[in-house]
Amino acid sequence: RAKAAGKSGFVVFDEAMHQEALSRLQLETDFRLALERGEFRIHYQPIVDLGSGRLVGAEALVRWCHPLRGLLVPADFLAVAEETGLIVEMDAWVLKEACRQLAVWRNRFPDWPELTVNVNVDEKQMVSAGIVEEVFSLLQRHGLPPASLRLEVTETAFRTGRAQAEQRLLALKALGVGLVVDDFGTGYSSLESFAASPFDALKMDQVFIRDIASNPRHRAIVRTIAGFARELGLAMTAEGIETGEQRVIAAELGCQYGQGYLFARPLPAQEFEQLLLGDARILG
Ligand code: C2E
Ligand code: MG
Ligand code: MG
Ligand code: MG
């Protein structure tokens, strides 16, 4: 939308573009402040055993309580976080807070010894120098069983610095934490990279689940990947389950775990805690 201003060759921005640049700059400034002011929150979305509907854990999903714009979701700010590199700091906070919260829950609810929390790790954080030590010290500090923490990485973590990412994954695996491939099926990595890497689980991207009832190709892909996962000894989770029909089909095709609005939306910590407290351990 930039247009050349006559012969001078100067480029002027139109008003909309100007506004866009300004609000982006504002967002970036606000984001830096948000880290200092502690404006981030975590919502916890239940993950269930698809067969029984039994709650097995949660995925930690970051939210930003913006002082003027209200509660923001990652789509509103993740691009800025990534481009500025501030995502590493944000992710470090999420990891720390999720571990603290998990330890509180595990202590408060001893009848949930199997409770796990999944944390998303951006590729920049995965290759950052301190990630392994950071995870190790958090597990120690909170006395968490390593397997109660599960780190989700997308296929893009392999795009740049694959060797480094793989080295980190192996070190994290050696600590005993769970490693999950997020949004499986939408990236560009080779199957070989998964066969060789120390993952425990795959999360099938929502795009395959959304139209699973009407799209035989997506059913074929889910069935095939579920078989692939089984052969490699990986657990498989279906993301974005919104209907009972999607749930039944995903289970039939071989997905063991599921996550989606059918079971629950991402919940503030106190609301998720109600699930641990109550008898509502079967969802969906
Ligand atoms: P993701 O890791 O694939 O997380 C699943 C997303 O799907 C979440 O969106 C969740 O709210 C949404 N979702 C769950 N069930 C359903 C459903 O039934 N229908 C639909 N339409 N959506 C569903 P959310 O919370 O907006 O997060 C979006 C993405 O942002 C995440 O995708 C993840 O890639 C990223 N993200 C979230 N939290 C963090 C974080 O702490 N660090 C980093 N680096 N990335 C994060
Ligand atoms: Mg995820
Ligand atoms: Mg995902
Ligand atoms: Mg996603």
Side-chain angles (χ1 to χ4, degrees), residues 45 59-63 73-75 78 87 90-91 94 120-122 152 154 182-183 206 239-242 259-262 266:
Q45 187 178 35
E59 177 174 7
L61 295 159
V62 71
R63 299 291 182 260
V73 294
L78 222 54
I87 194 163
M90 184 197 78
D91 274 358
V94 171
N120 293 285
V121 174
D122 182 76
E152 296 192 4
T154 59
D182 202 358
D183 304 341
Q206 319 197 359
E239 285 196 316
I241 298 182
E242 295 185 354
Q259 188 179 340
Y261 298 164
L262 172 69

Side-chain angles (χ1 to χ4, degrees), residues 39-45 59-64 71 90-91 93-99 101 105 117-119 266-270 272:
E39 291 170 0
F40 294 103
R41 301 284 179 272
I42 298 178
H43 283 186
Y44 295 88
Q45 187 178 35
E59 177 174 7
L61 295 159
V62 71
R63 299 291 182 260
W64 177 7
L71 193 72
M90 184 197 78
D91 274 358
W93 178 83
V94 171
L95 181 64
K96 196 168 124 198
E97 171 58 17
C99 287
Q101 182 64 76
W105 282 333
V117 166
N118 289 26
V119 176
L267 305 167
Q270 296 101 309
F272 183 81

Side-chain angles (χ1 to χ4, degrees), residues 4 20 32 56 63 95 176 180 182 201 216 236 260 271 281 283:
E20 202 177 293
R32 285 177 203 279
V56 296
R63 299 291 182 260
L95 181 64
V180 182
D182 202 358
M236 175 129 142
E271 284 179 44
R281 297 181 178 190
L283 304 175

